[in-house]
């Protein structure tokens, strides 16, 4: 397998990106293609003794699309950027997978307009894996679409089902709809219609999920009931957003200290 990596996308690029690519090649035995300024990439590799044992290719360019650029400039003003060239490596069959820690909007634009969608897929979706025990949870969409229809959410469920089956080997992942309550009648017309679509599909659709985002002051020691649903090693949390996925039955509430905020979020979840 060959993975093409945008060496200039993300924080502390290109050093941290090159370092990550080196560690991935070492651990997984995959071939790597790096896109970006070739002389600087080669200098970083030499100075840090990143001895790639697998085949390493470099696609040279000086252009970079930044977090502040309009995403669609990937196709015109920045069509020779490290990200655009990485997408071209994938779309033209010289790589099997693409990685970038750069602009999310530009990644969505490139995936849609350079690599293009699978026939029949109406919208791309960003999937995020949450390390929930005993098995991981996939939540999508996580930011590619500002507005969704029931059909879009239905397709996200199909795409997520295929991903969990192929990547994690889960034969029939449980599918839920993130909503503002676990009951079937909860939510706006969008979520009621989506619930019915998912119920009538040949998928393991179970119920609505309630997702809660809790913003905690620093430092905060979490109560055991919350720790169980977060990353197992997380006990003292700084001023960050901790995401907790919990299936709630009617009448069950979660108490949080005064001054914290709770916000419902809606999407499709698979586990």
């Amino acid at each position: 397998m060959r993975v093409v990596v945008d060496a200039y996308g993300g924080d502390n690029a290109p050093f941290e990106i090159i370092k990550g690519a080196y560690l991935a090649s070492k651990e997984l035995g995959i071939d790597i293609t790096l896109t970006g300024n070739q002389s600087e990439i080669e200098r970083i590799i030499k100075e840090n003794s990143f001895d790639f044992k697998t085949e390493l290719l470099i696609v040279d360019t000086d252009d970079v699309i930044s977090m502040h650029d309009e995403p669609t400039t990937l196709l015109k003003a920045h069509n020779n950027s490290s990200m655009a060239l990485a997408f071209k490596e994938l779309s033209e069959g010289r790589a099997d997978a693409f990685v970038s820690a750069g602009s999310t909007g530009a990644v969505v634009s490139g995936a849609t307009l350079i690599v293009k969608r699978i026939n029949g897929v109406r919208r791309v979706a960003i999937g995020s894996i949450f390390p929930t025990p005993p098995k991981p949870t996939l939540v999508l969409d996580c930011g590619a679409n500002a507005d969704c229809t029931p059909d879009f959410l239905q397709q996200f469920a199909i795409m997520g089902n295929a991903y969990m089956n192929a990547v994690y080997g889960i034969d029939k992942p449980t599918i839920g709809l993130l909503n503002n309550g676990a009951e079937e009648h909860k939510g706006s017309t969008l979520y009621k219609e989506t619930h019915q679509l998912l119920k009538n599909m040949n998928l393991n659709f179970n119920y609505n999920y309630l997702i809660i985002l809790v913003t905690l002051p620093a430092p905060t020691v979490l109560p055991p009931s919350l720790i169980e649903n977060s990353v197992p090693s997380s006990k003292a949390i700084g001023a960050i957003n901790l995401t907790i996925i919990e299936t709630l039955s009617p009448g069950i509430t979660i108490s949080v200290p005064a001054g914290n905020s709770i916000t419902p979020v809606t999407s499709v979840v698979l586990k």
Side-chain angles (χ1 to χ4, degrees):
M1 172 180 279
R2 175 170 295 280
V3 178
V4 60
V5 180
D6 169 17
Y8 282 76
D11 297 336
N12 300 315
F15 171 75
E16 291 294 345
I17 308 301
I18 296 170
K19 178 182 176 182
Y22 163 68
L23 293 174
S25 70
K26 184 178 179 181
E27 180 178 340
L28 303 175
I30 55 177
D31 295 328
I32 297 290
T33 298
L34 296 172
T35 59
N37 185 292
Q38 182 168 352
S39 60
E40 186 172 16
I41 291 172
E42 290 176 342
R43 176 184 60 78
I44 291 171
I45 290 174
K46 182 178 180 179
E47 289 179 354
N48 293 277
S49 300
F50 292 152
D51 185 17
F52 284 80
K53 298 299 184 183
T54 57
E55 185 179 29
L56 173 67
L57 300 177
I58 300 174
V59 178
D60 186 36
T61 181
D62 291 328
D63 189 26
V64 177
I65 186 167
S66 74
M67 297 292 188
H68 305 291
D69 291 317
E70 285 292 328
T72 53
T73 61
L74 186 73
L75 305 174
K76 295 181 180 180
H78 292 289
N79 65 353
N80 198 46
S81 63
S82 58
M83 184 186 294
L85 293 185
F87 270 124
K88 289 174 186 176
E89 290 294 303
L90 179 64
S91 66
E92 295 173 6
R94 293 185 291 275
D96 303 297
F98 162 96
V99 173
S100 177
S103 165
T104 302
V107 169
V108 171
S109 293
T112 304
L113 301 173
I114 298 177
V115 179
K116 303 187 185 303
R117 291 163 288 175
I118 295 173
N119 187 36
V121 174
R122 298 179 63 188
R123 291 288 183 91
V124 300
I126 296 174
S128 295
I129 293 291
F130 291 75
T132 51
K135 55 187 177 181
T137 297
L138 170 66
V139 180
L140 70 170
D141 171 44
C142 287
N145 302 282
D147 296 300
C148 287
T149 67
D151 289 343
F152 295 165
L153 291 170
Q154 181 186 38
Q155 285 202 342
F156 297 163
I158 296 170
M159 293 155 61
N161 186 80
Y163 181 89
M164 295 299 278
N165 182 273
V167 176
Y168 287 95
I170 301 174
D171 185 31
K172 293 182 178 179
T174 300
I175 298 174
L177 179 66
L178 292 183
N179 206 340
N180 63 354
E183 303 90 343
E184 183 174 341
H185 64 272
K186 284 292 185 71
S188 66
T189 300
L190 168 65
Y191 306 115
K192 292 175 183 177
E193 291 180 0
T194 303
H195 190 103
Q196 293 305 313
L197 284 176
L198 295 177
K199 272 183 63 176
N200 295 326
M201 293 181 64
N202 186 28
L203 295 174
N204 188 22
F205 178 63
N206 205 323
Y207 33 58
N208 287 348
Y209 282 87
L210 179 65
I211 186 168
I212 298 174
L213 301 185
V214 184
T215 303
L216 300 163
T220 297
V221 178
L222 300 178
S225 60
L226 296 187
I227 294 173
E228 289 172 2
N229 295 291
S230 64
V231 181
S233 61
S234 297
K235 294 185 179 181
I237 305 294
I240 61 172
N241 286 336
L242 172 68
T243 303
I244 303 160
I245 297 179
E246 177 71 85
T247 304
L248 299 181
S249 300
I252 294 180
T253 60
I254 290 181
S255 298
V256 295
N260 293 332
S261 60
I262 297 181
T263 307
V265 178
T266 310
S267 191
V268 174
V269 59
L270 302 96
K271 63 186 301 184

